[in-house]
Amino acid sequence: MVQNHWFDVIVMDLRLPDSNDLDLLIFFKESIPHTEVVVITGHGDVDSAVKAMKLGACDFIQKPFNLDQLDIIVEKSHQRALLSRENAILRHSSDRNQEPVRFIGNSLAVKDIKFLINKVGPAKIPVLITGDSGAGKDVVARLIHERSTCANRPMIIKNCASLQKELARSELFGHLKGSFTGASESQEGLMAYAHDSTLFLDEIGELPLGVQASLLRIMETQTFRRVGEKEERKVNIRFIFATNRNLAKEVEEGRFNEAFYHRINAFNIEIPSLCNRKEDLPLLVDFFLTRLSPENATYRIVDSAMNCILQYNWPGNVRELRNVIERSIILAENNIITERCLPRELVAVSGDNQVALNLESVEKDHIMKMLKFHDGSRIKTAQTLGISRKTLYRKLSKYSQ
């Protein structure tokens, strides 16, 4: 039963016909994550009960006992188990205190990505998110999780580049005490924490080949073993992967497991570089100015500075843009961002390019297109643009002057 189900509380007698002393208690504590064990003892078993508590039992109850007393102890143990599991999951999750995520943009590429997210979110199929570093792969992963059937549980996130090659298997699957040098106690892995939730493995191209084969088996059978463990456990995990590598080329050169690649590539979402969707730049700039500005402060960016932003190719993608806006807010005088607030490389590109784009005309053209798309509905247009209706009215009034 323990191999096929997850238990929060186990009630066991210390004297069982097919178990020696406290062996079963030790097995439970080493095999099941965050499970509380309540032991039942006779009058002569107080010493054994004390020993059981030292080995991890959460409480004991003496015979004879009434069911009301047992009910109270089980309920307290259950709450303790839930709290322990939630704390462990939060330690391995990046969802703590996070604001709702949004994928900013209205380019055709962004609309396609949002369509794919909405379609694949409720499905159980693995998703592979590809794109350059800083393009927003983690945002897409969070949006998929928010639309999944396990959205009420934290998404477990791990960057495979941070896994030590020798300990990657242990960190992913967990291990038993004494299973290798340095394993002084049994530990759970990410598979246990991601049960009934989503496991997002970023930079999957960095995962060692041997571990890829083990992960493939887990995806196909939904079972896994901890390092040093004989019994298998059943899990229910939604897998999302991300990489900035060309995995097909990695397979050809023998650096990536071919079977694993075909399994994780069941549903691919490719995020274009920011330089290929520059029409999204005004929206992104407005978003970061609002998100990163100090409370109750409004910052404005002059046209010449915005021209520099529009002409730059953004090799670091959205992450680089965020850093530039954050830097510019710090350097702004009287809440106005000028060319002096931008990094030199952005201004240099603008100086080399004699064709300057006019921010106001770009913004006006985009807003009018969105207004036409929504048949003149200002409410829907403001929601799509990610701005308030008041801001939209102000801009439209300005354009009509």
Short mmCIF file of all heavy atoms in Angstrom, two decimals, residues 69-91:
data_model
loop_
_atom_site.label_atom_id
_atom_site.label_comp_id
_atom_site.label_asym_id
_atom_site.label_seq_id
_atom_site.Cartn_x
_atom_site.Cartn_y
_atom_site.Cartn_z
N GLN A 69 -10.40 10.00 21.63
CA GLN A 69 -9.02 10.36 21.91
C GLN A 69 -8.14 10.11 20.69
O GLN A 69 -7.30 10.95 20.32
CB GLN A 69 -8.51 9.53 23.10
CG GLN A 69 -7.07 9.86 23.50
CD GLN A 69 -6.57 8.93 24.60
OE1 GLN A 69 -7.25 7.96 24.96
NE2 GLN A 69 -5.39 9.22 25.13
N LEU A 70 -8.34 8.97 20.03
CA LEU A 70 -7.57 8.64 18.83
C LEU A 70 -7.87 9.65 17.71
O LEU A 70 -6.97 10.07 16.97
CB LEU A 70 -7.91 7.22 18.37
CG LEU A 70 -7.19 6.74 17.10
CD1 LEU A 70 -5.69 6.73 17.31
CD2 LEU A 70 -7.69 5.38 16.68
N ASP A 71 -9.13 10.05 17.60
CA ASP A 71 -9.53 10.98 16.54
C ASP A 71 -8.80 12.32 16.70
O ASP A 71 -8.33 12.91 15.71
CB ASP A 71 -11.04 11.19 16.61
CG ASP A 71 -11.55 12.02 15.46
OD1 ASP A 71 -11.15 11.73 14.30
OD2 ASP A 71 -12.33 12.96 15.68
N ILE A 72 -8.68 12.78 17.93
CA ILE A 72 -8.00 14.05 18.19
C ILE A 72 -6.52 13.95 17.81
O ILE A 72 -5.95 14.83 17.16
CB ILE A 72 -8.15 14.46 19.66
CG1 ILE A 72 -9.62 14.81 19.95
CG2 ILE A 72 -7.25 15.64 19.99
CD1 ILE A 72 -9.91 15.04 21.42
N ILE A 73 -5.88 12.84 18.20
CA ILE A 73 -4.45 12.65 17.92
C ILE A 73 -4.20 12.55 16.41
O ILE A 73 -3.25 13.14 15.87
CB ILE A 73 -3.93 11.39 18.64
CG1 ILE A 73 -3.91 11.64 20.15
CG2 ILE A 73 -2.54 11.02 18.14
CD1 ILE A 73 -3.48 10.44 20.97
N VAL A 74 -5.07 11.82 15.71
CA VAL A 74 -4.90 11.67 14.26
C VAL A 74 -5.08 13.00 13.55
O VAL A 74 -4.34 13.34 12.63
CB VAL A 74 -5.89 10.61 13.71
CG1 VAL A 74 -5.92 10.65 12.18
CG2 VAL A 74 -5.50 9.22 14.19
N GLU A 75 -6.06 13.79 13.99
CA GLU A 75 -6.30 15.10 13.36
C GLU A 75 -5.10 16.03 13.56
O GLU A 75 -4.66 16.72 12.63
CB GLU A 75 -7.56 15.73 13.95
CG GLU A 75 -7.88 17.12 13.40
CD GLU A 75 -8.09 17.13 11.90
OE1 GLU A 75 -8.54 16.10 11.34
OE2 GLU A 75 -7.79 18.17 11.26
N LYS A 76 -4.55 16.06 14.75
CA LYS A 76 -3.37 16.89 15.01
C LYS A 76 -2.19 16.43 14.17
O LYS A 76 -1.45 17.24 13.62
CB LYS A 76 -3.01 16.84 16.50
CG LYS A 76 -3.98 17.59 17.40
CD LYS A 76 -3.70 17.33 18.88
CE LYS A 76 -2.31 17.75 19.27
NZ LYS A 76 -2.05 17.50 20.71
N SER A 77 -2.02 15.10 14.08
CA SER A 77 -0.92 14.55 13.28
C SER A 77 -1.10 14.89 11.80
O SER A 77 -0.13 15.17 11.08
CB SER A 77 -0.85 13.03 13.47
OG SER A 77 -0.68 12.70 14.83
N HIS A 78 -2.36 14.84 11.34
CA HIS A 78 -2.65 15.16 9.94
C HIS A 78 -2.28 16.61 9.61
O HIS A 78 -1.66 16.89 8.58
CB HIS A 78 -4.13 14.91 9.66
CG HIS A 78 -4.53 15.16 8.24
ND1 HIS A 78 -5.62 15.90 7.89
CD2 HIS A 78 -3.94 14.77 7.08
CE1 HIS A 78 -5.71 15.96 6.57
NE2 HIS A 78 -4.70 15.27 6.06
N GLN A 79 -2.65 17.52 10.49
CA GLN A 79 -2.32 18.93 10.27
C GLN A 79 -0.81 19.15 10.28
O GLN A 79 -0.28 19.94 9.49
CB GLN A 79 -2.98 19.80 11.35
CG GLN A 79 -4.51 19.82 11.30
CD GLN A 79 -5.03 20.33 9.96
OE1 GLN A 79 -4.46 21.25 9.38
NE2 GLN A 79 -6.10 19.73 9.48
N ARG A 80 -0.11 18.41 11.15
CA ARG A 80 1.34 18.52 11.22
C ARG A 80 1.98 18.01 9.92
O ARG A 80 2.93 18.60 9.39
CB ARG A 80 1.87 17.73 12.41
CG ARG A 80 3.34 18.00 12.72
CD ARG A 80 3.81 17.17 13.90
NE ARG A 80 3.10 17.50 15.11
CZ ARG A 80 2.30 16.67 15.77
NH1 ARG A 80 2.09 15.45 15.31
NH2 ARG A 80 1.70 17.04 16.87
N ALA A 81 1.44 16.92 9.37
CA ALA A 81 1.96 16.36 8.13
C ALA A 81 1.75 17.32 6.96
O ALA A 81 2.64 17.53 6.13
CB ALA A 81 1.29 15.02 7.84
N LEU A 82 0.56 17.91 6.88
CA LEU A 82 0.27 18.86 5.79
C LEU A 82 1.17 20.08 5.87
O LEU A 82 1.69 20.55 4.85
CB LEU A 82 -1.20 19.29 5.86
CG LEU A 82 -2.25 18.21 5.56
CD1 LEU A 82 -3.65 18.80 5.67
CD2 LEU A 82 -2.03 17.60 4.18
N LEU A 83 1.38 20.59 7.08
CA LEU A 83 2.23 21.76 7.26
C LEU A 83 3.68 21.45 6.87
O LEU A 83 4.34 22.25 6.20
CB LEU A 83 2.17 22.24 8.71
CG LEU A 83 2.96 23.50 9.05
CD1 LEU A 83 2.44 24.69 8.23
CD2 LEU A 83 2.86 23.81 10.54
N SER A 84 4.16 20.26 7.27
CA SER A 84 5.52 19.86 6.94
C SER A 84 5.71 19.76 5.43
O SER A 84 6.70 20.22 4.88
CB SER A 84 5.83 18.51 7.60
OG SER A 84 7.09 18.02 7.17
N ARG A 85 4.71 19.17 4.74
CA ARG A 85 4.82 19.01 3.29
C ARG A 85 4.75 20.37 2.59
O ARG A 85 5.52 20.63 1.66
CB ARG A 85 3.70 18.10 2.79
CG ARG A 85 3.78 17.82 1.28
CD ARG A 85 2.77 16.80 0.83
NE ARG A 85 3.06 15.49 1.39
CZ ARG A 85 2.26 14.83 2.22
NH1 ARG A 85 1.12 15.36 2.58
NH2 ARG A 85 2.60 13.65 2.69
N GLU A 86 3.86 21.24 3.04
CA GLU A 86 3.74 22.56 2.42
C GLU A 86 5.03 23.37 2.58
O GLU A 86 5.47 24.05 1.65
CB GLU A 86 2.57 23.32 3.03
CG GLU A 86 1.21 22.78 2.59
CD GLU A 86 0.06 23.46 3.32
OE1 GLU A 86 0.34 24.38 4.11
OE2 GLU A 86 -1.10 23.06 3.09
N ASN A 87 5.65 23.30 3.76
CA ASN A 87 6.89 24.03 3.99
C ASN A 87 8.00 23.52 3.09
O ASN A 87 8.79 24.30 2.54
CB ASN A 87 7.31 23.91 5.46
CG ASN A 87 6.44 24.72 6.38
OD1 ASN A 87 5.78 25.66 5.95
ND2 ASN A 87 6.41 24.38 7.66
N ALA A 88 8.07 22.19 2.93
CA ALA A 88 9.10 21.60 2.07
C ALA A 88 8.89 22.00 0.61
O ALA A 88 9.84 22.33 -0.10
CB ALA A 88 9.09 20.08 2.21
N ILE A 89 7.64 21.99 0.16
CA ILE A 89 7.34 22.36 -1.22
C ILE A 89 7.70 23.82 -1.47
O ILE A 89 8.29 24.17 -2.49
CB ILE A 89 5.85 22.10 -1.54
CG1 ILE A 89 5.59 20.60 -1.62
CG2 ILE A 89 5.44 22.77 -2.84
CD1 ILE A 89 4.13 20.24 -1.76
N LEU A 90 7.36 24.69 -0.52
CA LEU A 90 7.66 26.11 -0.68
C LEU A 90 9.15 26.39 -0.73
O LEU A 90 9.60 27.30 -1.41
CB LEU A 90 7.00 26.92 0.44
CG LEU A 90 5.48 27.04 0.36
CD1 LEU A 90 4.93 27.71 1.61
CD2 LEU A 90 5.07 27.82 -0.88
N ARG A 91 9.94 25.57 -0.01
CA ARG A 91 11.39 25.76 -0.04
C ARG A 91 11.95 25.45 -1.42
O ARG A 91 13.01 25.95 -1.80
CB ARG A 91 12.06 24.87 1.01
CG ARG A 91 11.94 25.38 2.43
CD ARG A 91 12.95 24.71 3.34
NE ARG A 91 12.82 23.27 3.38
CZ ARG A 91 12.02 22.62 4.23
NH1 ARG A 91 11.29 23.29 5.09
NH2 ARG A 91 11.96 21.30 4.21
#
